[in-house]
Amino acid sequence: MEDLEKLWQKVLSLLELEIPKASFHTWFKESKIEKFQDGIVFLRVNSNFAKEWIENKYQKSILCYLKNFNDQIKSIKYVIKPALTIEKEANPKTKIKLAKAIVNEDLQPSLQKINLLPKTKLNPRYKLSNFIVGPCNELAYAAALAVTEKPGRKYNPLFVYGRVGLGKTHLIQGIGNALLEKDKSKKIIYTTSEEFTNEVVNAIHYRTTLELRKKYRNVDLLIIDDIQFIGGKERTEEEFFHTFNALYENNKQIVISSDKPPFSLVGIEKRLKSRFEGGMIVDISQPDFETRIAILHQKMKENNIFLPEEVVEVIAKNISDNIRHLEGSLNLVYNNLKYKKIPPTKKNIEEILNSIFKPRKVIKPQEVINTICQYFNLETSKVVSQSRKKEFVHARQMIIYFLREELEMPYLSIGSILGNRDHTTIMYSLEKINKEIENNPLLEKEINEIKEILYQSE
Ligand code: ADP
Ligand code: MG
């Protein structure tokens, strides 16, 4: 019988043609024919889940191709072997590579590597080719692809909406990167509505509106992210409306993202909304389990990290509402397993995940006051009094900061529990401390320490 590896490669090359790329990658990446015996092909896959999936969806095709190449083959059996386990990564070279890939345990590790293309402000990491497609985003993806094929002609504007962390920025920047790849001379601008607002404000201030108009009306593709923040900013809306029209009339492509569909956007002028509605509107929703698995695989590949399939499944099962969290969890679990040498059991992984996503403890205002007074070793009655002594004022400001920023209390209530101060005093103090935080690292340290005490004590 011919080489099993070659045989499997031939089958894979056919399967690849009929299976969506992401699924193919997910299910067949580490697959292999282990052995062939008595008419049975023993196919190695990396999880029970993969086995079930392949059995249900692709077994017919696989068997058909196998029989085609070798008529002795009668059936398939599965052997489940995780592709790589943590312990197996003994090769020191790999270790270095892995260690480099992990920047820290931050929820957005990838942000640290961002290397923006100077003119377009596009992040080259966000490509259509590494955007995983599933039922939650397939329409959005198809529309994005169509836009790159016929920019300004087919879907104009393309309006993508969905909740935070579901891939809007990735997808719309992917359009820009794809277009640029096809044609380097294309003029593309990616901006957020907040940045655009700043530019308009500056242009008004420095009387450079004409330059601003020239900049934005001269592009082949304008991508504007998070348009919802434009609401209520009249001059910005006005400027955007005219930019939109100018581009549209010249068949230049406009791509917009938002957290809501046009009709639910609050505070945005009707005429602008109806422009948005004149194009293609697509949504991105929460990814299903299979898509989450595929995304995790993609992120592991990009970051050069490996986790056993069982572990990947536990992460995908537990984190479903936000892809940024999914990515963050992947890194967190990876770091914990690798550096803290925690065995990769389901229970351990769920514990790791819970540590970041568990609901925060509810804290009462009095607890905040007591904790902060204790922290600074001051008497509560003095802190709440009218005393202007520096140390009391500082502790008082901290209390205000916590009551407002952490407990989200109204200014009025903060004032009344702090010795009946009026709400403007509270607002003023808060402003002051927020400014100080920016310039004083010590203050940040204090805040973090207090936070730790508050949230840890049961
Ligand atoms: P949004 O703009 O909707 O808040 P982002 O585009 O910033 O979301 O996505 C958050 C993170 O999730 C990014 O790192 C992005 O690469 C990743 N992500 C989202 N959707 C996908 C996808 N379909 N395939 C691969 N990565 C994705
Ligand atoms: Mg975004």
Side-chain angles (χ1 to χ4, degrees):
M1 171 141 189
E2 79 176 302
D3 188 334
L4 293 176
E5 199 180 321
K6 264 196 197 138
L7 170 67
W8 187 233
Q9 284 310 323
K10 280 200 268 179
V11 175
L12 283 182
S13 64
L14 290 170
L15 278 173
E16 199 171 0
L17 300 176
E18 61 180 65
I19 298 175
K21 211 168 139 203
S23 310
F24 182 78
H25 180 79
T26 310
W27 308 121
F28 295 102
K29 192 184 50 176
E30 313 282 355
S31 63
K32 183 180 168 187
I33 298 181
E34 283 270 312
K35 60 176 178 177
F36 175 64
Q37 207 174 27
D38 305 327
I40 304 168
V41 160
F42 290 82
L43 190 61
R44 168 179 154 172
V45 295
N46 55 14
S47 68
N48 212 352
F49 193 78
K51 168 188 173 250
E52 277 174 34
W53 193 263
I54 294 173
E55 238 173 357
N56 288 331
K57 290 197 87 159
Y58 308 123
Q59 174 150 304
K60 256 195 197 154
S61 297
I62 297 173
L63 196 59
C64 167
Y65 294 141
L66 283 170
K67 281 182 174 167
N68 232 339
F69 291 125
N70 186 322
D71 56 10
Q72 292 167 22
I73 294 174
K74 299 280 175 277
S75 66
I76 301 174
K77 273 198 176 152
Y78 295 86
V79 187
I80 295 159
K81 272 195 195 156
L84 248 168
T85 53
I86 301 280
E87 289 72 21
K88 275 190 200 156
E89 287 164 17
N91 183 344
K93 258 192 191 161
T94 341
K95 268 195 186 149
I96 294 168
K97 221 166 155 192
L98 293 172
K100 269 193 190 157
I102 306 151
V103 185
N104 60 16
E105 295 186 17
D106 183 5
L107 274 183
Q108 252 180 299
S110 31
L111 265 187
Q112 309 226 348
K113 286 184 248 157
I114 285 187
N115 173 17
L116 300 178
L117 299 176
K119 248 179 154 174
T120 61
K121 298 224 201 83
L122 288 171
N123 176 353
R125 218 170 49 84
Y126 292 145
K127 289 187 262 181
L128 292 183
S129 56
N130 63 7
F131 187 81
I132 300 296
V133 185
C136 57
N137 58 20
E138 60 191 349
L139 183 61
Y141 175 79
L145 217 54
V147 162
T148 64
E149 272 152 23
K150 285 200 171 104
R153 304 266 158 200
K154 211 167 171 190
Y155 298 139
N156 206 13
L158 173 63
F159 190 101
V160 182
Y161 75 91
R163 284 211 334 263
V164 66
L166 295 182
K168 300 181 296 293
T169 299
H170 185 143
L171 185 73
I172 62 178
Q173 290 211 20
I175 297 176
N177 282 319
L179 211 59
L180 213 56
E181 232 169 70
K182 276 189 189 165
D183 183 350
K184 277 210 168 54
S185 68
K186 284 271 188 256
K187 289 199 208 88
I188 298 172
I189 293 187
Y190 164 85
T191 189
T192 62
S193 69
E194 279 170 315
E195 251 175 63
F196 185 75
T197 306
N198 285 340
E199 282 185 79
V200 172
V201 171
N202 280 335
I204 294 168
H205 186 85
Y206 296 108
R207 298 170 193 275
T208 51
T209 331
L210 277 179
E211 275 98 327
L212 184 72
R213 285 185 190 151
K214 213 166 129 199
K215 171 179 164 191
Y216 277 98
R217 294 179 194 182
N218 232 330
V219 296
D220 299 299
L221 166 63
L222 173 62
I223 307 172
I224 182 148
D225 208 350
D226 288 323
I227 197 77
Q228 69 271 16
F229 296 124
I230 214 176
K233 295 167 183 152
E234 290 158 28
R235 282 294 295 270
T236 308
E237 275 194 56
E238 172 87 18
E239 212 44 65
F240 185 65
F241 181 71
H242 293 299
T243 301
F244 185 103
N245 289 342
L247 290 174
Y248 185 82
E249 277 155 24
N250 288 313
N251 290 324
K252 303 299 187 191
Q253 179 72 41
I254 303 147
V255 174
I256 301 164
S257 89
S258 161
D259 65 343
K260 297 184 194 70
F263 63 85
S264 326
L265 283 172
V266 202
I268 291 192
E269 286 179 74
K270 241 192 173 153
R271 59 176 186 173
L272 204 47
K273 283 197 214 174
S274 72
R275 286 287 188 282
F276 297 163
E277 277 160 1
M280 174 76 167
I281 301 174
V282 289
D283 76 317
I284 298 187
S285 55
Q286 228 167 282
D288 58 18
F289 177 72
E290 292 76 15
T291 310
R292 300 202 293 277
I293 293 266
I295 289 173
L296 286 170
H297 282 147
Q298 174 66 26
K299 300 295 170 187
M300 288 199 288
K301 193 172 129 201
E302 282 172 22
N303 293 312
N304 237 332
I305 63 181
F306 307 96
L307 284 177
E309 198 54 26
E310 288 81 354
V311 177
V312 173
E313 281 172 26
V314 178
I315 301 175
K317 266 192 195 122
N318 281 275
I319 312 292
S320 60
D321 61 335
N322 183 319
I323 297 173
R324 188 168 294 133
H325 290 171
L326 197 65
E327 269 189 272
S329 307
L330 175 72
N331 286 290
L332 186 76
V333 169
Y334 179 77
N335 285 340
N336 269 280
L337 298 189
K338 184 154 180 77
Y339 295 110
K340 297 189 189 157
K341 304 264 181 265
I342 296 172
T345 61
K346 184 164 178 277
K347 192 168 152 270
N348 285 342
I349 291 156
E350 283 179 343
E351 253 166 39
I352 297 170
L353 295 176
N354 276 338
S355 70
I356 41 170
F357 294 114
K358 76 170 172 217
R360 280 189 135 186
K361 194 182 141 194
V362 181
I363 293 184
K364 296 196 186 75
Q366 202 53 48
E367 268 177 86
V368 171
I369 298 177
N370 294 343
T371 307
I372 292 177
C373 290
Q374 265 170 24
Y375 179 85
F376 291 113
N377 212 357
L378 298 170
E379 242 178 79
T380 313
S381 61
K382 296 258 173 58
V383 173
V384 187
S385 77
Q386 302 297 325
S387 165
R388 301 295 311 155
K389 226 174 140 186
K390 215 172 149 197
E391 49 188 355
F392 298 138
V393 173
H394 180 63
R396 203 178 293 144
Q397 282 182 336
M398 277 298 204
I399 294 175
I400 294 173
Y401 173 86
F402 270 88
L403 294 181
R404 180 71 194 173
E405 304 289 337
E406 290 291 310
L407 274 58
E408 297 179 351
M409 275 172 73
Y411 294 116
L412 270 177
S413 326
I414 298 177
S416 75
I417 64 165
L418 282 181
N420 274 330
R421 290 178 155 80
D422 74 53
H423 76 281
T424 44
T425 314
I426 304 295
M427 281 165 80
Y428 169 76
S429 302
L430 190 72
E431 212 173 279
K432 197 160 163 255
I433 197 157
N434 270 325
K435 267 203 198 109
E436 265 181 64
I437 293 172
E438 280 175 20
N439 305 315
N440 184 354
L442 195 72
L443 211 59
E444 207 183 319
K445 192 173 153 263
E446 280 179 5
I447 289 176
N448 285 336
E449 282 172 2
I450 295 172
K451 247 187 219 169
E452 245 168 58
I453 303 171
L454 266 177
Y455 287 104
Q456 271 174 10
S457 58
E458 284 304 323

